[in-house]
Amino acid sequence: MFPAEKHIIKTFNKLVELLSEVDRNKPQVALLAGSATPYRNDTDREMPFRQESNFYYLTGCNIPSSYLLVTFQTGTGLAQMPSSQLFVPPIELADIMWSVPPPTKEVAAQIHDVTHVEHTAALPDAIHEILKAFPSAIFHTLPRTSLFPELPEKYIGLAATRNEPVTDEYLLTALHRARLTKGDAEIALIQKANEISSRAHETVMRVLGQGVIGAIKKAKGAGTERPLLPSEWLIEKEAEAEALFVASCRREGAVHQAYLPIVAGASRAATLHYCCNDKEFAWGPVGEHDHLNHNELEHNEARDLHPQVLLIDAGCEWDCYAADITRTMPVGNGGKFTPEARAIYELVLEMQKLSLEVLEPGLHWDAVQLLCHRTLVRGFQKLGIFKSTTSPNSGSWNSEEAIVASGISTAFFPHGVGHSLGMDVHDVPSASKPEVNDTIGKGVELGHPEFYTYLRLRLPLEEGMVVTVEPGIYFNPHLLAPVRDSKHINQEVLKRYEAVGGVRIEDVVVIIKDGHINLTTVRSDVEWIEGVCSGVL
Ligand code: GLY
Ligand code: MN
Ligand code: MN
């Protein structure tokens, strides 16, 4: 069973830390609303239901239009065994006729880790009773904005008639702080989402590879007398790759993608959160020494795919817990990277490998960001994209140090190396970034302030945190424009690499006592990626 009570205790212990000494020992009552079923205009048909994350965290309840009423008090029995009352809608005849009804109260009580289950009609009396029993209670809600399910005035009004405050100032902060580190049950769900998503990434790569060796054949009548069957699908467009990815997750039972998949071919891989997924791959002709793609099934002309990358950043959810995985694979060129794409891929892999090696509790996340920039600069100097010095004087204008300090690597790696991940993909933002970052003077050398603009986590790592490690290198004309004339760049060499577009490699890891465990199971080494994408493995 989802450990809701454990989450309530953790959250309310964080909540009381936020309160003044006087308020800390008072009873704390919280009322949360779950999400309602969304409908689309005039379809009379439900859209997929996704529970509000905080509500799920405290209840494990996926029943639409439910409520939770919690009572907690430090220093009393309610600190070890808080009261958590779940209110679920009753079964209506119309529910049974049109759709699947909610479980009965009795069933709901068996499957949820709460102290009591009632129907929603009992909620006003329950609020009344709690406030009568705990007249000095502080009454907490989530912020009453459109970001969270609406809490009707008829419920809030019952608490607002007292002298004690009704406040939305603390509960979300406490929830984000509690959710920042994950328990075993949460990690297991994230692992499951990662396993399903990893298989979906591999499926796309394998279908690409099967296309390369001509193993995907259309049987008689396919595409004319009848639609293609999945075994006849080639991947020649971003949409086809997306469809296969989503289908693979869905057939394993995942209801939701954790975010809209990013499926970007060729130069579109340089757009970090590309969202169209609607372009064909770039078509040749290619040079005579390039590998053929045997793509004649869809394109009965003498055309071949241009060598290009396909970047897929996609992950499903499992029971409200997310995966977030990026793989970049070769398309065209017989399923092999071009020398330039391979060099950039290997450099991104090096950025990721060095990052993973240092992860452990206590390490400040800023240090990982800096490490990635430093690795990029060193790699670009080796490739000749950045000029180097042979001078032993490390203060030279084109030394690694000087280039790191200039911040120019931000034009190629503009985002953060990773973020907290959990029920939401960019999980618990308010707990991920302190208002004042304290890395300076604590043994972390910052490099350049622009490295941190889009870094979504600015904390030392803790055991139980789940984070993504997702370095990337991009050749985006808009980001390159301001550095075109930089003295650090060898323009001739850069030109050769620009066609690569972008490479990102993203895995999800959990921080443990001695380091980390990688929860993403799909491989990313060049040998395997090329082997699969060329149909050899
Ligand atoms: N999928 C969005 C991200 O990687 O942050
Ligand atoms: Mn990510
Ligand atoms: Mn991602």
Side-chain angles (χ1 to χ4, degrees):
M1 195 185 296
F2 187 80
E5 183 181 75
K6 211 168 114 193
H7 294 170
I8 287 178
I9 293 170
K10 189 175 180 189
T11 301
F12 280 77
N13 278 313
K14 300 278 181 198
L15 183 137
V16 293
E17 280 172 18
L18 299 167
L19 302 176
S20 69
E21 200 120 344
V22 179
D23 287 343
R24 203 167 292 166
N25 293 319
K26 290 183 178 171
Q28 314 294 331
V29 173
L31 178 64
L32 292 92
S35 301
T37 304
Y39 288 84
R40 227 178 83 181
N41 295 351
D42 295 338
T43 58
D44 289 335
R45 178 74 174 104
E46 304 87 340
M47 299 211 296
F49 175 80
R50 167 57 157 80
Q51 187 57 277
E52 196 277 316
S53 296
N54 297 293
F55 188 87
Y56 192 80
Y57 183 70
L58 297 178
T59 60
C61 172
N62 253 329
I63 305 169
S65 299
S66 300
Y67 293 88
L68 173 69
L69 186 64
V70 180
T71 313
F72 177 97
Q73 188 170 17
T74 303
T76 73
L78 285 170
Q80 279 82 48
M81 288 183 64
S83 151
S84 57
Q85 301 184 60
L86 180 65
F87 296 85
V88 298
I91 297 173
E92 308 279 358
L93 186 60
D95 288 336
I96 301 171
M97 189 172 89
W98 288 106
S99 191
V100 178
T104 61
K105 281 191 306 184
E106 292 70 27
V107 170
Q110 279 166 20
I111 61 177
H112 295 105
D113 184 19
V114 294
T115 44
H116 191 63
V117 178
E118 268 302 336
H119 281 148
T120 324
L123 178 54
D125 277 351
I127 297 173
H128 190 74
E129 288 300 316
I130 288 280
L131 295 179
K132 205 165 79 186
F134 300 99
S136 62
I138 301 178
F139 197 92
H140 300 270
T141 69
L142 289 173
R144 296 175 70 198
T145 68
S146 58
L147 287 178
F148 300 98
E150 189 187 347
L151 267 178
E153 200 48 50
K154 63 181 175 192
Y155 302 141
I156 294 293
L158 295 170
T161 52
R162 308 165 315 135
N163 286 331
E164 296 298 331
V166 173
T167 174
D168 63 4
E169 208 180 321
Y170 307 105
L171 183 57
L172 184 63
T173 305
L175 276 156
H176 279 185
R177 289 188 183 181
R179 286 170 50 195
L180 183 63
T181 53
K182 276 73 183 174
D184 292 346
E186 296 180 280
I187 292 166
L189 295 175
I190 296 170
Q191 185 158 22
K192 173 95 178 174
N194 267 273
E195 286 166 2
I196 294 172
S197 308
S198 289
R199 283 190 284 273
H201 276 280
E202 182 169 340
T203 298
V204 172
M205 288 186 232
R206 289 201 176 277
V207 172
L208 281 167
Q210 293 299 294
V212 168
I213 59 170
I216 298 179
K217 301 202 187 299
K218 280 197 248 181
K220 192 165 166 291
T224 51
E225 291 152 32
R226 61 165 176 82
L228 301 187
L229 301 179
S231 60
E232 297 168 315
W233 290 354
L234 281 172
I235 302 179
E236 298 177 324
K237 297 175 194 148
E238 293 161 354
E240 290 167 340
E242 180 186 13
L244 255 184
F245 184 94
V246 174
S248 179
C249 295
R250 185 68 192 101
R251 65 175 290 287
E252 291 206 46
V255 177
H256 296 283
Q257 291 292 304
Y259 51 97
L260 205 61
I262 298 162
V263 184
S267 58
R268 296 175 298 281
T271 302
L272 303 182
H273 281 180
Y274 175 73
C275 54
C276 310
N277 304 354
D278 62 353
K279 305 290 185 295
E280 280 205 33
F281 295 158
W283 290 93
V286 293
E288 57 181 338
H289 296 300
D290 291 325
H291 296 72
L292 291 177
N293 261 293
H294 304 284
N295 51 279
E296 66 283 355
L297 288 178
E298 283 302 284
H299 291 266
N300 295 322
E301 311 150 34
R303 288 203 302 169
D304 285 293
L305 287 168
H306 265 309
Q308 63 204 285
V309 296
L310 173 64
L311 184 155
I312 302 183
D313 180 345
C316 71
E317 270 189 0
W318 191 259
D319 276 353
C320 291
Y321 281 80
D324 182 8
I325 303 173
T326 307
R327 287 293 178 268
T328 307
M329 57 209 79
V331 166
N333 204 34
K336 303 276 176 81
F337 289 114
T338 62
E340 288 77 18
R342 186 184 175 118
I344 298 303
Y345 188 93
E346 284 180 337
L347 180 51
V348 175
L349 204 56
E350 176 78 355
M351 289 158 76
Q352 197 201 40
K353 180 173 158 271
L354 295 179
S355 301
L356 291 170
E357 275 172 13
V358 295
L359 299 183
E360 63 178 3
L363 176 76
H364 201 291
W365 195 239
D366 284 6
V368 186
Q369 181 76 356
L370 181 62
L371 177 64
C372 281
H373 276 276
R374 189 174 289 289
T375 309
L376 186 157
V377 168
R378 198 171 296 158
F380 269 26
Q381 285 190 307
K382 259 197 208 140
L383 295 174
I385 299 173
F386 287 162
K387 295 173 192 165
S388 317
T389 178
T390 48
S391 152
N393 174 8
S394 65
S396 157
W397 66 270
N398 54 4
S399 65
E400 178 188 312
E401 275 317 308
I403 301 178
V404 168
S406 77
I408 192 174
S409 46
T410 311
F412 301 90
F413 172 41
H415 60 78
V417 61
H419 48 83
S420 171
L421 175 119
M423 308 189 76
D424 296 313
V425 178
H426 294 162
D427 206 40
V428 295
S430 79
S432 299
K433 269 189 175 191
E435 273 165 34
V436 180
N437 189 42
D438 65 354
T439 54
I440 299 169
K442 294 215 168 173
V444 178
E445 172 211 355
L446 273 175
H448 191 280
E450 279 188 13
F451 294 170
Y452 305 92
T453 308
Y454 294 105
L455 188 59
R456 297 177 199 272
L457 182 66
R458 306 286 312 264
L459 295 172
L461 293 173
E462 279 178 60
E463 205 177 329
M465 277 187 181
V466 173
V467 295
T468 64
V469 183
E470 52 174 307
I473 294 179
Y474 312 87
F475 299 91
N476 182 319
H478 303 289
L479 298 177
L480 293 182
V483 299
R484 280 280 176 211
D485 298 328
S486 165
K487 63 184 177 187
H488 294 301
I489 294 177
N490 180 327
Q491 298 299 339
E492 284 308 305
V493 181
L494 173 60
K495 236 180 255 155
R496 282 193 6 239
Y497 285 93
E498 279 191 54
V500 173
V503 172
R504 177 163 66 255
I505 304 169
E506 176 175 26
D507 288 31
V508 174
V509 306
V510 55
I511 305 300
I512 57 169
K513 196 156 149 267
D514 307 321
H516 74 277
I517 296 171
N518 196 332
L519 301 177
T520 301
T521 51
V522 59
R523 282 170 65 172
S524 54
D525 53 289
V526 174
E527 198 183 339
W528 186 83
I529 295 267
E530 287 193 340
V532 169
C533 291
S534 64
V536 172
L537 285 182

